[in-house]
Amino acid sequence: MTIMENPVRNGVDTATLFATLDAVRQAPAAAQFQFRARNHWISGTHSRTTIEDFFGVGEERAHEAPTVHDVDHPKVLVGGDHAPTPVEYLLHALAGCLTAGLVNIAAARGIELTEVSSTVAGDIDLNGILGLDPTVRNGFSGITVSFRVKGDAPAEELAGLVERSRARSAVYDSLVNPVPVTIEVEAG
Amino acid sequence: MTIMENPVRNGVDTATLFATLDAVRQAPAAAQFQFRARNHWISGTHSRTTIEDFFGVGEERAHEAPTVHDVDHPKVLVGGDHAPTPVEYLLHALAGCLTAGLVNIAAARGIELTEVSSTVAGDIDLNGILGLDPTVRNGFSGITVSFRVKGDAPAEELAGLVERSRARSAVYDSLVNPVPVTIEVEAG
């Protein structure tokens, strides 16, 4: 009888995680993914996105269930406030990406986490998007992420999880470095 | 008796929109906003964000109701698939931002819209975040937004709404141009 270490840590199945890494190392094309969001306008600044299908590991796939996400502007910005703003979803995406990475990395390093929480704050001068000051950019002037991480490792190792997650984060990279965006229109 | 044009078009209260622009023109500091997302880890790659408070027009504010947004990785990426991925929320943010701007601009230009829908597709090579190929970036290699816009204006004017919205979009700018991101950690 062999006593094996439990491969599930922090809710991460580390055996499957390492097996997946090995599989992609053998077949790098499996890592080509396309994610999609389908949005339709409702009224005013309020619209609704469905997220369901994606491409990955060589074939079309779908989430176990489609999900629906509303987006709007607050009333102080002449919206209906039916849902968060677009820029708040961007902050949410950043928090979710850094947190998922951090937890995977902790699992791989044998660290048991007891808490990971974060506040993401993004500063924006709306004189840009309102067209009132051409020297002001449209997007965030800066974003600050404040993490609180607890677990069974020294503080510096816990902080190292955040740093490693940052260095491997899809959303962090998509914000701090330029992403080419193409827009096509079928009108009329 | 004066017959006034209805100031609500496409669900946008254009009178309030123009009054808001005038107010910010007179007091530019009102346009300094900070948006926030508060996230906590649940298990594995699954975490949950609450969006509620923000700062704007000189004071602390809150949405009419807080909203809660889960985020996860799909099973093919060793997640629980309880919710969309972080990068899908980023695509959703882009769709919502471009659509809200487009509708506001149409209202200001006197164009009645009957349909605005879009599909946002983002390509990503996960060899980057998996650490398997140092030449591959972590984030999206490219994003394509495909709009369908219908309304009571010629096709070129409808297409012009998309172009103007792109030129004034907070999320578009935050993706195509670098945003400084600072990460702080309280660990242990």
Side-chain angles (χ1 to χ4, degrees):
Chain A
M1 200 180 95
T2 309
I3 295 171
M4 295 184 64
E5 195 185 358
N6 183 345
V8 177
R9 189 179 293 115
N10 303 323
V12 176
D13 182 339
T14 54
T16 302
L17 185 63
F18 290 129
T20 300
L21 278 166
D22 280 342
V24 178
R25 194 176 281 116
Q26 300 304 317
Q32 302 294 334
F33 275 63
Q34 182 181 76
F35 290 103
R36 300 159 191 150
R38 301 181 197 281
N39 180 279
H40 69 272
W41 171 54
I42 296 174
S43 181
T45 53
H46 183 199
S47 70
R48 183 167 290 159
T49 296
T50 301
I51 293 173
E52 181 169 18
D53 55 293
F54 61 97
F55 178 89
V57 198
E59 61 187 64
E60 285 294 322
R61 296 174 180 274
H63 288 290
E64 298 213 336
T67 52
V68 174
H69 310 272
D70 282 21
V71 54
D72 199 355
H73 285 183
K75 292 200 170 165
V76 71
L77 296 172
V78 204
D81 203 17
H82 293 94
T85 60
V87 292
E88 287 167 317
Y89 278 109
L90 195 151
L91 303 178
H92 162 55
L94 181 58
C97 193
L98 290 169
T99 299
L102 187 165
V103 172
N104 274 339
I105 294 159
R109 292 183 179 180
I111 297 172
E112 293 271 3
L113 298 168
T114 53
E115 181 188 342
V116 182
S117 58
S118 59
T119 297
V120 187
D123 293 305
I124 186 166
D125 180 347
L126 299 184
N127 282 296
I129 65 169
L130 295 174
L132 298 175
D133 186 343
T135 69
V136 174
R137 73 178 291 178
N138 294 318
F140 283 118
S141 57
I143 294 172
T144 300
V145 187
S146 302
F147 265 105
R148 182 176 174 85
V149 183
K150 293 187 180 185
D152 69 353
E156 68 200 77
E157 283 186 38
L158 296 173
L161 299 174
V162 176
E163 169 50 26
R164 183 63 162 184
S165 180
R166 183 200 63 71
R168 288 281 167 77
S169 166
V171 174
Y172 176 87
D173 175 47
S174 296
L175 290 171
V176 303
N177 296 305
V179 175
V181 178
T182 303
I183 302 180
E184 301 165 349
V185 189
E186 181 190 333
Chain B
M1 199 182 96
T2 308
I3 295 171
M4 295 183 65
E5 195 186 357
N6 183 345
V8 177
R9 189 179 293 113
N10 302 324
V12 177
D13 182 340
T14 55
T16 303
L17 185 63
F18 289 128
T20 301
L21 278 166
D22 281 343
V24 177
R25 195 176 281 115
Q26 300 304 316
Q32 302 294 334
F33 275 64
Q34 183 181 79
F35 290 103
R36 300 159 192 150
R38 301 182 196 281
N39 179 279
H40 70 272
W41 170 54
I42 296 175
S43 180
T45 53
H46 183 199
S47 70
R48 182 168 290 160
T49 296
T50 301
I51 294 174
E52 181 169 19
D53 56 293
F54 61 97
F55 179 89
V57 198
E59 61 189 63
E60 285 295 321
R61 296 173 180 275
H63 288 290
E64 299 214 333
T67 51
V68 175
H69 310 272
D70 282 20
V71 53
D72 200 354
H73 285 181
K75 293 200 170 166
V76 69
L77 296 172
V78 203
D81 202 16
H82 293 94
T85 61
V87 292
E88 287 167 316
Y89 278 110
L90 196 151
L91 303 178
H92 162 55
L94 181 59
C97 194
L98 290 169
T99 299
L102 187 166
V103 172
N104 274 339
I105 294 159
R109 292 183 179 179
I111 297 172
E112 293 271 4
L113 298 168
T114 52
E115 180 188 342
V116 182
S117 58
S118 59
T119 297
V120 187
D123 292 305
I124 187 166
D125 180 347
L126 300 184
N127 283 296
I129 65 170
L130 295 175
L132 296 176
D133 185 343
T135 70
V136 174
R137 72 176 293 176
N138 294 318
F140 283 119
S141 57
I143 295 172
T144 300
V145 187
S146 304
F147 265 106
R148 182 175 175 87
V149 183
K150 292 187 179 185
D152 68 353
E156 67 199 78
E157 284 186 37
L158 296 173
L161 300 174
V162 176
E163 170 49 26
R164 182 63 162 186
S165 180
R166 184 200 62 72
R168 287 281 167 76
S169 167
V171 174
Y172 176 87
D173 174 47
S174 297
L175 290 171
V176 303
N177 296 304
V179 174
V181 177
T182 303
I183 302 180
E184 301 165 348
V185 188
E186 180 190 335

